[in-house]
Amino acid sequence: MAGLRLVCSLLFCALTPVNSDFVIEGLRKIQKRSTEKPAGDIEVYSVDINSKVTSRFAHNVITSRAVNRGNVSKEVFFNVDLPKSAFISNFSMIIDGVTYTGVIKEKEVAKKQYEKAVSRGQTAGLVKASGRKTEKFTVSVNVASESKVTFELVYEEMLKRHLGKYEFFIKVQPKALVKHYQIDIEIYEPQGISFLNAEASFITNDLLPAIKKSFSGKRGHISFKPTLDQQRSCPNCTSSLMDGDFIVTYDVNRESPGNIQIVNGYFVHYFAPPKLTGVPKNVVYVIDISGSMYGRKMDQTKTALLKILNDTAEHDYFNFVLFSHRITAWRDSMVKATPENMEEAKKFVNQIQASGGTNINDPMLKAIELLNKGYEMKQVPERSASLIILLTDGEANEGESNPSKIQANVKNANNGKYTVYSLAFGHSPDYSFLEKLALENSGVARRIYEDSDADLQLQGFYNEVANPTLVDIKMQYPENAIADVTQNNFKQYFDGSELVVAGRITDNDLNSFAVDVNAEGADQSLKYSENIDLQEKDGVDKNLQYIFGDFIERLWAYITIQQLLEKRIHADPSEKANLTAKALDLSLKFNFVTPLTSMVVTKPEDKEKEEESFIADKFVEGQKDAQPPVSSARYAHYPVSSARYQYAAPSTPSNWVDSDPHFVINVPQKNDALCFNIQEEPGVVLNLIEDKELGIAVNGELTGNKKEENSVLSHETYFGRLGIVNKKNMLRIEVTTETITIMQGKITKIFTWEKKASVKKQGLNLVINKRANVTFTFGEGATFVIILHKAPKDHPLHRDFLGFYTLDDHMFSTEVHGLLGQFFHGIDYEISNIHETKVPNKPDATMKVKNKILTVTRGVQRDYRKDRYNSSEVACWFVHSNGEGLIDGTHTDYIVPDIFSIAD
Ligand SMILES: *[C@@H]1O[C@H](CO)[C@@H](O)[C@H](O)[C@H]1NC(C)=O
Ligand SMILES: *[C@@H]1O[C@H](CO)[C@@H](O)[C@H](O)[C@H]1NC(C)=O
Ligand SMILES: *[C@@H]1O[C@H](CO)[C@@H](O)[C@H](O)[C@H]1NC(C)=O
Ligand SMILES: *[C@@H]1O[C@H](CO)[C@@H](O)[C@H](O)[C@H]1NC(C)=O
Ligand SMILES: *[C@@H]1O[C@H](CO)[C@@H](O)[C@H](O)[C@H]1NC(C)=O
Ligand SMILES: *[C@@H]1O[C@H](CO)[C@@H](O)[C@H](O)[C@H]1NC(C)=O
Ligand SMILES: *[C@@H]1O[C@H](CO)[C@@H](O)[C@H](O)[C@H]1NC(C)=O
């Protein structure tokens, strides 16, 4: 069920404020950045997206060419968003006529090389998840004055049929006008193309003629070549209107349910029977109603369930098992989807309320029991497909909470009978656990992204499995003549999809190739037979090779690797090693960047003739450590005089205030940071965050050093006391270097730093890590951490103090203000005129921000989040005079009467 459409996207950026999430900018690049002149000295003069789809297998080549017309060398970026389900198979760049090609290596080997490069201060570029369906490939290279660079990325993917069509999705986002921009898609389908559509979200009437589409018989062709004028967002504009999705959909003729193709000793068999009566399905919806589902997630779940009930066929059976720490089955047996029962079910869904803990084990066993009983007592039709759909936004913390025990319990109880789909709502659930739970029970896992369309995502998933028309499908091929066949038994066939099996033919003298498909339909057993005469195979070959010759072999490798990787997830350890070895072998042999391999590109570094390596990894859903470790070198200060650029993934962006209060504002879109200090007297309370709309404020009280009167350092101040107010929940929290006090209405709870503790109540999740930090989460998208700095005991000068960091601020309204809050929705600035001063490595520069011109200085601040004793360094542009010019108003505007102050 995974990735039922091909999604690919291209964005090529140079000089415009780039989406360079994973590439830290060197000073020189910042210097040259200008939003007014997007073309700048770097001109991307050609972007070519070329896709050849042969019998569902898409081979995509993206070529971009740029020239540096400036008189100094410059950084050029190449960013491509490609489908998560695709494998990169090649990358190269040509600079000054020299080609540098990526080499695909075993991940561990590549990692060692990467670490070596990092230790030499050189380092890396990466592939990371970008959108829901895409991952981003990013490369940058320094291009000399008057030189050209060509980037070429190749990736491959099998298009999966979904609801009667194959879909090809290209995200177009060139960010600047491109002289030669072209998308060219050739399709060759041996069964013949039944329809072919191309559309783009950004298309205007003016641009319509630029899309050319034609198809006839087996061939289809789409091309899109907008002229410079067609690309302009308005006449005479220099900005591009091309920002959106280019979508191609098509299907093939279905004269016979199956189709076999054989090329160079490999076969592929596609099976999609014509419209059949649906097989009744029995669905148990196992729905998380624990406290964390409260609010939007629960509302969206209810909306989706109501819609799903509406779409349920009358011959289907269903039931709900709701779980928190308690388990509630709607009915004690499966219920037929009659209009009366539907009305009852809707009433039931409408009254669902979220609260409590999370028990996943027991509701899953309950669902299996309901289906078992359904068949035993003949409550459900004998010929039917049974599914369990689990939706959760968290991890088990009640009942059996050991993930492997839950998996084992479900696997044993289910014993292969029912298909389990697990839906992970948001990023809190343990995706690997849910994935294994599903794969062990012939289903798949999916992520439901927490967003305003989560209900549509849930319905979309349901639609894919809503209409099984065959069950227990067995596909048989000539015995003794084939080997290495991919999965050929399937539990269900869903209307509008397609089953695909590939393998190798071992008998070269085979005259004919026969396939039998046996399956159970709604009311009878069905058999489909297919036979092709291999005598004619030469003719077939020629047509198929027209596009690219070895595609069936690559298609077979692509499917095999994907299936080995899936199997690996639920294999026992001895088997796992073998599956990994096989998948790795194939990945290397066929040159695919898979979760087991990485691509290493060694590029020339400007003049210095030093090598710089970077690697591209495959994104793996739910795997947090899929990327190489973040190097602390990422933040190291780099002097202007050296043309050294650092490449590494940024750590979680955060805004914070720590030490003598140093404020740090991260600017993720620039991969850089701004910083400033506030000098005030001990006892002064400063407002850090204030959001009137949410009713949340954070204030901090300054404290000075001990023995102020005797010390030259006496003007140092720190935060000694922080107050957090949440008006809507009538909540006040005071954090000092001694205690954490929670006040809600008349109830006051006091904790010390000496004990680990956690508090979970409506709208607040608080965790105290003994003598280290306390994290606060208010609903979704507002998470802070306060770090306790302990001064050495009996230090003559220093006291304990607190640091305040935001970990997630996306919940805040546009009204949010305060010394940190005003930056939650981003800040744009421009840096120019970087020049050395008397202080080595601390150049000054001119910053244009909020229509003001400021002189700023490159500096370093410390991030104590990972380790209080051993902070990491963050390079930033320091704004002098209490942040004047950067912050709204002056710093005294942020002084408030007390730590619980909040405006009405
Ligand atoms: C490059 O061009 C700029 C502006 O045209 C000029 O100020 C600068 O001196 C030139 N630099 C070199 C190295 O030629
Ligand atoms: C990768 O691309 C380069 C440059 O086009 C080419 O020379 C090389 O043969 C390609 N490698 C593979 C494995 O296709
Ligand atoms: C575009 O530029 C031309 C020449 O500079 C000018 O004559 C014309 O009026 C401009 N059109 C618009 C819509 O600004
Ligand atoms: C269910 O279907 C009925 C009739 O088709 C429609 O009036 C109603 O709005 C639908 N409800 C939902 C939740 O889609
Ligand atoms: C996997 O196991 C099979 C049989 O146990 C063996 O023949 C094969 O060589 C192994 N493959 C790898 C790559 O280790
Ligand atoms: C909080 O402290 C714990 C325990 O020392 C540590 O593991 C964790 O990384 C800290 N979290 C933050 C965000 O500083
Ligand atoms: C701090 O981190 C560095 C690099 O990770 C390490 O070499 C050093 O030993 C650490 N120091 C302390 C005091 O933990």
Side-chain angles (χ1 to χ4, degrees):
M1 214 64 37
L4 290 165
R5 56 202 233 173
L6 173 86
V7 183
C8 65
S9 153
L10 171 87
L11 54 116
F12 187 105
C13 322
L15 282 191
T16 40
V18 198
N19 236 349
S20 57
D21 311 11
F22 313 106
V23 181
I24 186 159
E25 299 160 10
L27 295 179
R28 284 214 292 184
K29 204 166 117 277
I30 297 169
Q31 190 175 14
K32 275 168 260 136
R33 176 149 297 157
S34 152
T35 37
E36 271 93 59
K37 287 196 305 176
D41 290 335
I42 301 287
E43 185 196 348
V44 178
Y45 61 94
S46 163
V47 172
D48 220 309
I49 303 166
N50 197 294
S51 301
K52 290 183 190 322
V53 185
T54 312
S55 188
R56 289 63 150 176
F57 197 58
H59 176 89
N60 308 283
V61 183
I62 293 175
T63 313
S64 229
R65 295 183 174 85
V67 58
N68 178 4
R69 301 203 192 281
N71 60 1
V72 287
S73 68
K74 291 202 172 148
E75 198 78 350
V76 179
F77 281 83
F78 176 64
N79 290 333
V80 177
D81 281 17
L82 65 142
K84 283 178 184 168
S85 46
F87 290 152
I88 287 175
S89 59
N90 202 357
F91 170 75
S92 64
M93 52 193 185
I94 307 171
I95 307 160
D96 292 333
V98 182
T99 304
Y100 303 87
T101 303
V103 182
I104 294 172
K105 297 188 175 179
E106 181 177 356
K107 195 171 196 150
E108 288 308 308
V109 173
K111 203 167 133 191
K112 283 203 186 101
Q113 190 164 347
Y114 166 86
E115 278 163 0
K116 219 164 119 194
V118 169
S119 72
R120 290 198 304 256
Q122 292 172 359
T123 72
L126 300 165
V127 168
K128 286 266 183 159
S130 53
R132 289 179 188 171
K133 299 181 179 88
T134 56
E135 60 190 40
K136 188 190 293 295
F137 175 86
T138 300
V139 162
S140 78
V141 68
N142 219 4
V143 177
S145 160
E146 300 300 326
S147 284
K148 289 184 177 179
V149 58
T150 299
F151 300 100
E152 185 184 278
L153 180 73
V154 184
Y155 63 88
E156 288 165 332
E157 191 197 24
M158 184 178 83
L159 309 188
K160 286 194 181 164
R161 189 163 180 258
H162 168 49
L163 300 177
K165 59 180 189 264
Y166 305 95
E167 189 168 291
F168 205 62
F169 176 102
I170 296 174
K171 194 162 141 204
V172 176
Q173 207 176 359
K175 299 222 169 178
L177 303 177
V178 179
K179 204 175 282 168
H180 169 98
Y181 190 98
Q182 164 165 320
I183 297 177
D184 191 87
I185 302 165
E186 277 179 86
I187 302 173
Y188 181 87
E189 284 293 347
Q191 285 154 284
I193 294 169
S194 61
F195 75 87
L196 176 64
N197 283 328
E199 58 189 45
S201 62
F202 53 86
I203 224 87
T204 57
N205 285 342
D206 296 343
L207 214 45
L208 263 180
I211 297 187
K212 300 237 169 6
K213 175 194 98 172
S214 65
F215 71 97
S216 142
K218 300 176 177 181
R219 282 176 199 187
H221 187 222
I222 287 167
S223 76
F224 176 57
K225 285 190 215 183
T227 62
L228 275 177
D229 282 339
Q230 286 172 325
Q231 295 175 37
R232 290 182 207 280
S233 48
C234 62
N236 288 5
C237 280
T238 54
S239 55
S240 176
L241 63 72
M242 298 208 299
D243 180 1
D245 304 338
F246 189 89
I247 301 161
V248 173
T249 47
Y250 76 93
D251 199 12
V252 302
N253 293 323
R254 305 272 164 202
E255 267 145 30
S256 94
N259 179 264
I260 306 161
Q261 289 155 43
I262 299 176
V263 177
N264 295 345
Y266 283 82
F267 75 89
V268 58
H269 175 212
Y270 299 104
F271 179 74
K275 191 97 188 144
L276 295 165
T277 312
V279 174
K281 66 179 191 297
N282 315 308
V283 188
V284 185
Y285 300 94
V286 180
I287 306 294
D288 189 339
I289 59 160
S290 68
S292 54
M293 286 288 287
Y294 184 85
R296 183 168 81 163
K297 279 191 278 188
M298 199 69 251
D299 295 343
Q300 290 170 325
T301 304
K302 286 189 196 180
T303 307
L305 288 175
L306 292 175
K307 187 75 178 60
I308 287 168
L309 285 172
N310 241 23
D311 293 346
T312 302
E314 198 165 339
H315 66 209
D316 287 350
Y317 289 74
F318 70 102
N319 202 343
F320 296 101
V321 178
L322 307 183
F323 66 95
S324 54
H325 52 288
R326 279 198 295 268
I327 316 302
T328 318
W330 172 45
R331 293 283 167 83
D332 54 14
S333 61
M334 297 302 288
V335 173
K336 192 164 197 284
T338 60
E340 304 77 53
N341 286 337
M342 288 316 217
E343 280 316 304
E344 292 295 307
K346 284 179 191 169
K347 278 185 208 149
F348 175 74
V349 166
N350 272 318
Q351 58 76 45
I352 294 176
Q353 295 210 356
S355 74
T358 308
N359 180 341
I360 292 181
N361 187 72
D362 300 340
M364 287 302 287
L365 298 184
K366 178 74 190 172
I368 294 167
E369 183 197 310
L370 282 167
L371 289 168
N372 283 346
K373 210 172 104 195
Y375 282 104
E376 278 158 22
M377 321 257 308
K378 305 211 185 309
Q379 291 158 342
V380 299
E382 203 176 326
R383 305 183 81 85
S384 54
S386 290
L387 325 175
I388 295 172
I389 301 180
L390 165 68
L391 173 72
T392 179
D393 76 333
E395 297 179 17
N397 56 19
E398 297 276 348
E400 178 58 75
S401 61
N402 178 342
S404 20
K405 291 222 172 102
I406 302 174
Q407 283 158 347
N409 291 345
V410 171
K411 189 177 169 187
N412 290 338
N414 188 31
N415 199 16
K417 285 174 296 201
Y418 317 125
T419 307
V420 173
Y421 295 104
S422 11
L423 304 178
F425 204 154
H427 281 86
S428 307
D430 177 350
Y431 193 86
S432 317
F433 159 75
L434 292 175
E435 186 172 38
K436 186 169 173 191
L437 189 70
L439 289 171
E440 279 184 335
N441 297 284
S442 46
V444 292
R446 273 291 172 78
R447 174 132 19 234
I448 303 296
Y449 293 84
E450 271 185 63
D451 211 335
S452 54
D453 69 343
D455 51 337
L456 298 177
Q457 297 175 52
L458 286 164
Q459 287 165 40
F461 170 77
Y462 174 79
N463 286 341
E464 287 173 30
V465 299
N467 203 1
T469 57
L470 290 175
V471 295
D472 292 331
I473 305 107
K474 296 189 171 61
M475 304 168 79
Q476 281 149 0
Y477 302 93
E479 269 177 51
N480 308 323
I482 54 149
D484 303 329
V485 178
T486 60
Q487 182 187 350
N488 62 339
N489 290 331
F490 300 88
K491 248 184 140 48
Q492 285 109 12
Y493 169 80
F494 296 105
D495 193 38
S497 69
E498 183 174 67
L499 302 177
V500 184
V501 180
R504 191 160 61 83
I505 297 178
T506 51
D507 181 352
N508 290 330
D509 303 326
L510 218 56
N511 288 325
S512 68
F513 191 84
V515 181
D516 287 329
V517 179
N518 293 293
E520 302 301 323
D523 29 51
Q524 58 184 325
S525 298
L526 295 165
K527 180 171 179 162
Y528 299 90
S529 296
E530 207 86 36
N531 196 341
I532 66 164
D533 190 345
L534 293 183
Q535 306 303 314
E536 294 170 13
K537 132 176 172 275
D538 285 350
V540 175
D541 270 5
K542 268 208 194 81
N543 264 331
L544 290 172
Q545 286 179 349
Y546 154 74
I547 298 222
F548 65 110
D550 58 352
F551 87 94
I552 296 186
E553 190 175 349
R554 295 191 70 79
L555 175 56
W556 165 83
Y558 172 93
I559 300 173
T560 305
I561 293 168
Q562 300 240 350
Q563 291 182 352
L564 288 169
L565 292 173
E566 253 180 37
K567 255 194 215 157
R568 207 169 69 108
I569 291 168
H570 59 97
D572 58 47
S574 62
E575 207 189 342
K576 194 170 166 169
N578 193 302
L579 293 168
T580 305
K582 275 192 211 159
L584 173 63
D585 244 29
L586 286 176
S587 306
L588 291 172
K589 182 172 173 207
F590 288 87
N591 224 42
F592 284 136
V593 179
T594 70
L596 303 173
T597 52
S598 298
M599 185 170 66
V600 180
V601 186
T602 301
K603 70 181 187 183
E605 180 53 38
D606 221 21
K607 296 204 179 78
E608 298 164 38
K609 289 272 181 246
E610 270 180 61
E611 286 184 344
E612 183 161 8
S613 299
F614 58 92
I615 57 179
D617 274 344
K618 179 91 197 121
F619 168 78
V620 180
E621 189 72 59
Q623 192 177 309
K624 289 182 187 77
D625 58 354
Q627 281 78 31
V630 176
S631 154
S632 60
R634 175 254 189 246
Y635 286 121
H637 174 71
Y638 28 90
V640 181
S641 50
S642 137
R644 166 78 60 225
Y645 299 97
Q646 304 284 343
Y647 303 84
S651 68
T652 334
S654 164
N655 294 328
W656 73 80
V657 54
D658 209 335
S659 308
D660 177 20
H662 298 313
F663 289 77
V664 178
I665 310 302
N666 261 279
V667 187
Q669 77 271 22
K670 288 194 166 15
N671 262 301
D672 209 336
L674 304 178
C675 47
F676 59 92
N677 294 352
I678 299 284
Q679 289 289 332
E680 265 303 333
E681 299 300 312
V684 163
V685 181
L686 293 170
N687 173 248
L688 306 181
I689 302 173
E690 181 171 79
D691 189 332
K692 288 184 214 167
E693 211 171 302
L694 285 184
I696 291 181
V698 179
N699 303 302
E701 186 186 69
L702 294 172
T703 171
N705 278 322
K706 298 176 190 168
K707 293 189 186 172
E708 278 173 41
E709 61 283 1
N710 304 333
S711 170
V712 279
L713 294 170
S714 66
H715 58 267
E716 281 182 348
T717 54
Y718 306 89
F719 283 117
R721 201 158 76 99
L722 289 159
I724 301 177
V725 199
N726 185 335
K727 251 164 85 173
K728 293 204 175 142
N729 294 344
M730 307 209 335
L731 197 66
R732 292 162 160 220
I733 301 164
E734 179 195 52
V735 181
T736 70
T737 55
E738 308 285 324
T739 55
I740 294 112
T741 308
I742 304 176
M743 291 161 269
Q744 190 164 32
K746 290 188 182 131
I747 303 163
T748 298
K749 273 192 181 160
I750 303 179
F751 300 86
T752 72
W753 281 103
E754 295 306 310
K755 228 170 105 186
K756 191 172 167 65
S758 66
V759 175
K760 222 178 186 176
K761 47 168 74 195
Q762 198 75 40
L764 171 71
N765 205 340
L766 177 149
V767 180
I768 301 170
N769 288 305
K770 186 177 167 179
R771 278 184 235 158
N773 61 50
V774 48
T775 57
F776 303 85
T777 303
F778 295 105
E780 269 214 12
T783 303
F784 315 123
V785 61
I786 292 175
I787 291 179
L788 175 65
H789 293 273
K790 296 290 272 185
K793 245 196 171 147
D794 305 323
H795 191 283
L797 199 61
H798 291 151
R799 297 179 203 269
D800 298 347
F801 66 94
L802 303 169
F804 177 87
Y805 295 72
T806 58
L807 299 184
D808 189 348
D809 59 26
H810 77 257
M811 181 175 94
F812 285 93
S813 76
T814 49
E815 294 286 295
V816 64
H817 211 256
L819 286 167
L820 291 173
Q822 63 187 292
F823 302 106
F824 287 175
H825 296 286
I827 170 104
D828 199 19
Y829 62 87
E830 271 173 48
I831 289 287
S832 58
N833 183 32
I834 301 173
H835 53 278
E836 291 285 8
T837 59
K838 285 189 197 120
V839 191
N841 289 346
K842 292 208 166 175
D844 275 358
T846 303
M847 173 184 286
K848 195 174 156 202
V849 63
K850 294 184 176 171
N851 287 323
K852 294 187 197 87
I853 305 287
L854 312 176
T855 297
V856 295
T857 304
R858 197 66 180 165
V860 171
Q861 294 294 357
R862 297 188 165 274
D863 178 352
Y864 293 91
R865 273 176 300 166
K866 276 219 186 81
D867 185 341
R868 274 172 309 150
Y869 302 108
N870 203 3
S871 58
S872 51
E873 289 189 330
V874 178
C876 56
W877 288 112
F878 181 78
V879 180
H880 300 264
S881 314
N882 291 313
E884 202 177 308
L886 171 66
I887 59 171
D888 290 337
T890 67
H891 79 279
T892 51
D893 298 345
Y894 298 85
I895 296 177
V896 291
D898 74 66
I899 60 163
F900 294 127
S901 294
I902 181 165
D904 290 318

